[in-house]
């Protein structure tokens, strides 16, 4: 083999190796760019979501404000539960009071009927007023 051919062959090998290295480097850069593009798209989506929440008044970038808002939501839930329990208790008490008032009314109606009968000259009833309700 002539020296010129050997140099050419060495040069071809170096060029091929250099080309392969450049291709690997370029491929690595393309993969890195693709990862960065994906991260950018993800961050843009997060940013848009945060902006939407901020427009709705549900997001604040301040961690203290977020903590305060979370605490206030928890307190609101607790108050709503308390209100529901109190409403049920009031309804139960009203029903109980209504029953007591109805019973008292019936007793008074019987007493009035008994007193009318006595005033009209009749004998006193055999049963004291209100005892029919207790049967």
């Amino acid at each position: 083999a002539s020296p010129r051919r050997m140099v050419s062959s060495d040069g071809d090998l170096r060029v091929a190796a250099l080309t392969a290295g450049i291709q690997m480097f370029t491929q690595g850069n393309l993969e890195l760019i693709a990862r960065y593009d994906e991260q950018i798209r993800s961050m843009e989506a997060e940013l848009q979501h945060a902006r939407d929440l901020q427009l709705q008044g549900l997001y604040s970038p301040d961690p203290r404000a977020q903590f305060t808002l979370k605490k206030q939501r928890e307190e609101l839930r607790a108050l709503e539960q308390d209100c529901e329990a109190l409403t049920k208790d009031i309804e139960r008490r009203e029903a109980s009071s209504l029953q007591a008032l109805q019973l008292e009314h019936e007793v008074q109606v019987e007493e009035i009927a008994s007193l009318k009968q006595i005033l009209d000259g009749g004998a006193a009833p055999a049963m004291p007023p209100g005892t029919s309700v207790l049967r």
Side-chain angles (χ1 to χ4, degrees), residues 70-83:
K70 181 180 177 188
K71 189 148 183 80
Q72 288 174 339
R73 284 184 184 140
E74 291 170 358
E75 289 173 3
L76 178 61
R77 275 189 223 109
L79 287 172
E80 287 172 340
Q81 290 173 348
D82 288 347
C83 286

Side-chain angles (χ1 to χ4, degrees), residues 54-74:
Q54 197 169 23
L55 287 174
Q56 296 171 11
L58 301 175
Y59 174 79
S60 172
D62 182 9
R64 291 175 295 184
Q66 289 177 353
F67 176 77
T68 301
L69 185 58
K70 181 180 177 188
K71 189 148 183 80
Q72 288 174 339
R73 284 184 184 140
E74 291 170 358

Side-chain angles (χ1 to χ4, degrees), residues 108-134:
Q108 289 175 353
V109 166
E110 286 181 19
E111 284 179 17
I112 291 171
S114 174
L115 290 172
K116 279 184 181 179
Q117 189 177 18
I118 291 172
L119 287 174
D120 289 339
M127 209 180 342
T131 55
S132 67
V133 176
L134 299 176

